[in-house]
Amino acid sequence: MKKQHIKHRLHTLAGGVFSLGLLGATPIVYAEASAAVDFHIPAQRLIPALSAFAEQSGVQLLYSSAMAEPLRAAPLNGRHSVEQGLGQLLTGTGIGFRFVEPGVVTLEKKAAPADPASPRSDAATLAPMTVTGSAEYDSTDPYNTDYNRPNAVTATKTDTPLMQTPLSVKVVPQQVLKDQQVITVDQALRNVSGVVTGSGGTGTFFIRGFGNYNVYRDGYLNQSQWAHTEDLENVERVEVLKGPGSVLYGRTEPGGLVNFVTKQPLNTPYYSLRQQFGSFDHYRTSVDATGPLTDSKDLAYRFNLGYQSNHTFQEFGGDERLFVAPSLRWNISEKTTSTFKIEYSDIKELGRGTVPLLGDRPAPIPRSRNLGDPWNIQEDEYFMLSLNTVHAFNENWKLQHRFNFTNHTLTMSGKFPTGAFSPVQPNGNKTRFFFAQNIDDNDYQHNFFNALELSGKFDTGFLKHNLLIGGDYYRTDYRATSAGFTPKTGDTTNIYHPIHQPGPPAILPGDVDLGEWTLPWFGLYAQDQIELPYHLHALAGLRYDNATSSWRGSSYPDTSADKVSPRGGLVWQPIPEFSLYGSYTENFGASNFYDWSTKTPLPPQTAQQWEVGAKTELFDGRFSATLAYFDLTKQNLPMSVGPAITKAVGEAESRGIEFDLSGEILPGWSIIGAYAYTPFAKTTKDSAGFGNSGKRLNNAPEHSGSLWTTYEFQKPLLQGVKIGAGMQAVGQREIGYNETAQAPGYVTMNMMLSKFWKIGASRVTAQLNIDNLTDKTYFGSIYSYGPSQYGAPRTFMGAIKIEY
């Protein structure tokens, strides 16, 4: 129906009932409930929002004006079915709806029956009904354009409003990942305060001053070898819990926990194909397909694929990636659902090189120079399968079982400049070491995870409880054959005139080291979220962990450790738009293994954190912000103090202020930002006796932050055009723990431009991103033992995406 032939129709029926629909010169063609429509409706009073909905969807709405007059509608943007869109528009209003005939919908209060005094209380069109709107809009809708997420699951393992969570949580939603064309973990995490890139760019990251290279996918620990890089092709959003999370998740690093929430099978068909192309011969193809497999929608699937090939700005550098992730959801009964997922990735990286230290700074060599060799290669092959089954006993109680298996195989071979323990000579000569892993093609890292959780809601007097009780078992089996570490005669290059070897050296049987170990642990945990009078919300949790580690066929002794870890917090929310919170958490950290030089086990890592903060949610929930102060102390931090020598420092502490914001300020104007001020991040007790007490922690800048904003034009002439810009700033960072070398601070600028067109039932989007707009030369990642890596120069990334 052409726009110029449409006239708005508003009829007042008996009893003050409104009928909203369309009237044109041609017969009215009403939309079906499942029809997909592009909506652009800002948050506003409900009656004009319903009018806009009727015009944009082609449905006729019947409702009471008295019922709708005092209410406001939630924003509705993007492509949705009529059923999904109306459910989102009515979120929080207490109004339900049903289709009484094709294209005709009645609205009514969901709670009590209609007022008997109303002249139309017995009208058939206003009878009690069941709400059919989408309850999972925020977490599953492919067309959701929101930058803000009011709820998250990572902090509590329940779908809890962030305003009522006594912890700092940052969510990076799908639209931010799309607008920034995010591919790697570090690109996603630059939107989160207190997070900076660690070694390798995508392998590790630091949160609140402490390193971390383990991430979670849908709550599963995806522990892997240090060089594993995650693919985000099937990731719906990234949730970051600041501070310790071991009370619910077991052994974790105390700085924070990164959880990738993956895409789920949907009942509404959706298909997309995206082709990216950019600087350094970058090409990436992405596929996303989902929908029901049966008419009853008891079976639904999702399939994600990503293939990428590219060179890099560094000579000899290049990547090739393949990622495949099919999943199947089966509604076994009305109360039981199982979801089965498989992920497979194969990532090859060629020629990756590092920059050694020259004095107290990384050596000033060109960004393109590689001090490694052309044959340097790293291949990371990863396979995962998971099964998640949920059984609801009733509307308040459910039982969930989760199983996960992963297998990682890491193959490496290359020569690399040695660390800070072997400095660059005055003439520019620098020794190198050869390292290879998976010598006999029989290495592996198997991870098994099992968890059983019971959750339920109940009341005790005036207290409302949300109880979670569970147990989990995690096991890692690891085998690695490696050769190298020790520099050989002739393994020398020059930072000004590099010397490259034609191929890898011969590996003799005596050069090969074999490591085999097993790390099992189990935990029992309980958590209660309690709603109290006077707008108070309390959280209390407790966990018991028992962990062991053993080396097979070696002289390393077995280790064993257990700990009880508590967590508690309180939120006061005097008005819906504002809350204050405070919390205390203890942490049982990752295994420290051994001091390789003496073969003695290091004591287990532990941590404690105090945190207070304030949160706000404005503009009808479209915008949120969190201000937090934390004081985090960690015991037995492992530190490399020489080649193959690791010690456990007695205690390290970080404290500071973090600020995060995200959401929509005005219709079409979205923003996400982060800032961290960490004035104190130091070793406070040096039990290893290496003189580190009082020195700043590695890779913990005093100031860091980012800001990203986009605007989608609302006027018809430029409708579908979006522009965006952003920046990232990171202050000076210590390289290593002895404060003898630093990586300078930097600021980079980014931009984007996109335009979408509606072509029939499809949407076509063209997009261009420019990262590091000013071509800043900077060190994006650093290693604790000395070398650094340059960040990418000015980079262009284009994309064409088709959705329907």
Side-chain angles (χ1 to χ4, degrees):
M1 189 180 297
K2 295 182 180 179
K3 247 181 189 180
Q4 59 265 32
H5 295 311
I6 293 175
K7 296 181 181 179
H8 181 253
R9 181 175 69 183
L10 173 59
H11 293 311
T12 302
L13 307 180
V17 173
F18 278 172
S19 170
L20 287 170
L22 297 175
L23 182 63
T26 57
I28 299 173
V29 179
Y30 291 119
E32 298 289 342
S34 60
V37 178
D38 283 307
F39 291 103
H40 300 280
I41 304 174
Q44 57 186 301
R45 290 175 49 247
L46 182 57
I47 287 180
L50 292 172
S51 176
F53 184 91
E55 180 176 351
Q56 295 178 26
S57 66
V59 299
Q60 186 177 14
L61 304 176
L62 303 174
Y63 65 93
S64 166
S65 60
M67 173 184 69
E69 179 60 35
L71 301 175
R72 290 184 62 83
L76 177 60
N77 292 288
R79 188 173 179 82
H80 316 281
S81 68
V82 173
E83 190 176 14
Q84 287 178 326
L86 190 52
Q88 168 63 14
L89 196 73
L90 296 173
T91 298
T93 64
I95 295 178
F97 66 92
R98 67 185 174 96
F99 281 77
V100 294
E101 59 182 83
V104 181
V105 183
T106 64
L107 311 183
E108 187 190 48
K109 287 287 188 182
K110 289 189 290 185
D115 185 354
S118 169
R120 293 184 55 88
S121 63
D122 59 345
T125 56
L126 293 179
M129 69 199 73
T130 301
V131 179
T132 57
S134 173
E136 298 179 322
Y137 169 82
D138 281 344
S139 61
T140 67
D141 189 348
Y143 296 106
N144 189 348
T145 61
D146 294 345
Y147 267 37
N148 186 46
R149 287 291 183 272
N151 291 25
V153 299
T154 302
T156 61
K157 285 192 175 180
T158 62
D159 192 24
T160 303
L162 295 179
M163 293 289 289
Q164 299 171 7
T165 303
L167 304 156
S168 180
V169 181
K170 182 65 172 288
V171 181
V172 183
Q174 176 67 200
Q175 190 60 46
V176 174
L177 303 180
K178 291 178 180 177
D179 287 347
Q180 297 179 355
Q181 294 207 60
V182 167
I183 295 175
T184 60
V185 177
D186 62 310
Q187 291 175 323
L189 295 182
R190 66 188 176 190
N191 297 288
V192 184
S193 67
V195 181
V196 294
T197 303
S199 58
T202 58
T204 67
F205 44 90
F206 284 66
I207 307 177
R208 291 186 169 177
F210 296 104
N212 198 331
Y213 61 89
N214 294 326
V215 297
Y216 289 72
R217 296 181 86 89
D218 297 321
Y220 299 109
L221 174 59
N222 200 19
Q223 180 171 322
S224 60
Q225 304 184 41
W226 65 271
H228 176 67
T229 57
E230 297 289 326
D231 198 294
L232 306 186
E233 190 60 52
N234 71 332
V235 171
E236 184 69 43
R237 65 185 185 273
V238 182
E239 296 186 358
V240 181
L241 167 64
K242 311 287 193 64
S246 70
V247 170
L248 292 181
Y249 294 94
R251 309 191 74 171
T252 64
E253 290 292 342
L257 187 149
V258 177
N259 183 30
F260 297 124
V261 181
T262 62
K263 298 175 180 178
Q264 304 295 315
L266 302 179
N267 286 332
T268 302
Y270 170 78
Y271 311 96
S272 75
L273 172 66
R274 181 175 70 169
Q275 180 63 53
Q276 293 172 284
F277 44 89
S279 302
F280 313 112
D281 299 320
H282 183 115
Y283 299 97
R284 184 179 179 93
T285 303
S286 303
V287 175
D288 186 3
T290 185
L293 293 173
T294 60
D295 293 338
S296 65
K297 300 183 180 180
D298 287 340
L299 285 176
Y301 79 97
R302 192 142 194 174
F303 177 78
N304 293 100
L305 178 144
Y307 175 76
Q308 173 182 323
S309 66
N310 63 274
H311 296 131
T312 70
F313 62 91
Q314 194 175 50
E315 58 184 344
F316 320 136
D319 296 344
E320 184 178 13
R321 294 167 170 255
L322 172 65
F323 179 84
V324 182
S327 60
L328 180 69
R329 190 208 68 222
W330 178 24
N331 294 335
I332 302 173
S333 69
E334 292 183 356
K335 295 184 176 181
T336 307
T337 300
S338 283
T339 303
F340 179 73
K341 291 188 175 185
I342 294 175
E343 291 184 5
Y344 172 80
S345 70
D346 188 5
I347 303 173
K348 298 182 180 69
E349 297 180 277
L350 301 175
R352 188 172 65 179
T354 59
V355 180
L357 290 176
L358 182 60
D360 62 354
R361 290 289 190 272
I365 62 176
R367 286 183 293 195
S368 60
R369 182 166 299 165
N370 192 334
L371 299 181
D373 286 327
W375 47 268
N376 284 13
I377 186 172
Q378 173 180 301
E379 182 174 4
D380 177 20
E381 192 172 16
Y382 157 81
F383 172 79
M384 183 205 80
L385 64 85
S386 69
L387 178 65
N388 183 23
T389 302
V390 180
H391 176 75
F393 298 102
N394 52 48
E395 62 181 7
N396 291 323
W397 288 90
K398 69 178 182 180
L399 185 68
Q400 181 175 18
H401 173 258
R402 297 183 296 159
F403 169 78
N404 180 267
F405 167 79
T406 60
N407 178 72
H408 299 262
T409 301
L410 178 66
T411 302
M412 298 179 65
S413 181
K415 285 188 177 181
F416 311 93
T418 51
F421 314 112
S422 178
V424 175
Q425 300 300 311
N427 62 357
N429 283 349
K430 174 65 176 176
T431 57
R432 299 192 303 173
F433 69 88
F434 168 73
F435 178 69
Q437 185 170 324
N438 197 12
I439 305 301
D440 59 3
D441 293 322
N442 194 29
D443 287 5
Y444 58 81
Q445 181 174 348
H446 298 153
N447 303 316
F448 299 89
F449 177 83
N450 253 305
L452 187 65
E453 296 173 344
L454 175 67
S455 61
K457 298 179 180 181
F458 61 95
D459 297 345
T460 56
F462 58 83
L463 304 179
K464 297 181 179 180
H465 300 264
N466 189 353
L467 182 67
L468 175 70
I469 300 174
D472 54 32
Y473 175 80
Y474 184 90
R475 177 188 174 103
T476 294
D477 293 296
Y478 176 86
R479 182 186 190 275
T481 52
S482 59
F485 283 120
T486 305
K488 307 283 186 181
T489 302
D491 285 342
T492 302
T493 190
N494 188 280
I495 65 172
Y496 306 114
H497 306 285
I499 301 171
H500 300 294
Q501 303 296 327
I507 300 175
L508 303 177
D511 295 333
V512 179
D513 292 322
L514 171 62
E516 292 183 281
W517 58 267
T518 300
L519 173 64
W521 86 69
F522 72 87
L524 299 172
Y525 51 92
Q527 174 186 272
D528 194 8
Q529 298 168 260
I530 309 170
E531 185 177 343
L532 303 162
Y534 305 108
H535 311 292
L536 292 171
H537 301 268
L539 180 146
L542 195 68
R543 181 185 177 98
Y544 169 75
D545 276 296
N546 182 283
T548 60
S549 63
S550 61
W551 285 77
R552 296 188 292 273
S554 73
S555 58
Y556 292 103
D558 293 349
T559 65
S560 179
D562 59 359
K563 190 179 187 301
V564 175
S565 306
R567 177 169 77 172
L570 187 66
V571 177
W572 180 46
Q573 190 177 9
I575 58 175
E577 295 81 9
F578 180 74
S579 63
L580 296 169
Y581 74 91
S583 61
Y584 172 77
T585 308
E586 293 188 5
N587 194 79
F588 187 41
S591 171
N592 263 345
F593 299 115
Y594 303 89
D595 180 347
W596 310 114
S597 61
T598 62
K599 296 185 178 181
T600 57
L602 300 176
Q605 301 177 40
T606 56
Q608 307 80 36
Q609 177 184 272
W610 291 94
E611 181 176 320
V612 295
K615 302 183 181 184
T616 186
E617 194 173 75
L618 304 173
F619 309 128
D620 297 311
R622 303 192 311 274
F623 175 89
S624 66
T626 299
L627 177 67
Y629 171 80
F630 68 91
D631 190 329
L632 174 59
T633 303
K634 179 178 180 180
Q635 291 80 31
N636 303 318
L637 175 70
M639 179 186 298
S640 297
V641 294
I645 300 177
T646 303
K647 299 293 182 182
V649 176
E651 191 171 273
E653 182 179 0
S654 69
R655 53 179 181 260
I657 297 173
E658 295 172 346
F659 180 63
D660 287 279
L661 58 86
S662 59
E664 187 179 40
I665 300 174
L666 294 172
W669 182 14
S670 297
I671 187 171
I672 185 169
Y675 170 70
Y677 172 54
T678 314
F680 190 94
K682 297 182 179 182
T683 301
T684 54
K685 296 180 182 178
D686 181 11
S687 59
F690 282 88
N692 291 291
S693 182
K695 293 186 176 180
R696 192 164 183 91
L697 298 177
N698 170 65
N699 207 11
E702 185 173 346
H703 299 274
S704 62
S706 64
L707 184 66
W708 172 262
T709 184
T710 62
Y711 181 73
E712 183 173 353
F713 289 91
Q714 306 294 294
K715 300 297 183 181
L717 182 63
L718 294 174
Q719 191 171 18
V721 175
K722 179 186 287 188
I723 58 174
M727 55 81 68
Q728 182 185 23
V730 177
Q732 177 177 285
R733 294 163 290 164
E734 302 299 323
I735 302 177
Y737 300 90
N738 52 12
E739 290 191 324
T740 59
Q742 295 80 34
Y746 65 89
V747 177
T748 59
M749 309 295 292
N750 310 307
M751 290 188 65
M752 68 86 67
L753 173 66
S754 70
K755 173 71 169 74
F756 84 84
W757 298 266
K758 184 178 179 182
I759 303 176
S762 303
R763 284 167 55 106
V764 178
T765 304
Q767 183 171 335
L768 173 66
N769 288 68
I770 308 175
D771 286 350
N772 194 2
L773 181 66
T774 61
D775 201 23
K776 173 73 174 179
T777 299
Y778 69 100
F779 294 95
S781 60
I782 61 176
Y783 292 75
S784 60
Y785 58 88
S788 305
Q789 285 185 316
Y790 279 115
R794 184 187 298 115
T795 303
F796 296 86
M797 181 69 73
I800 298 291
K801 185 175 185 179
I802 303 174
E803 301 170 275
Y804 63 96

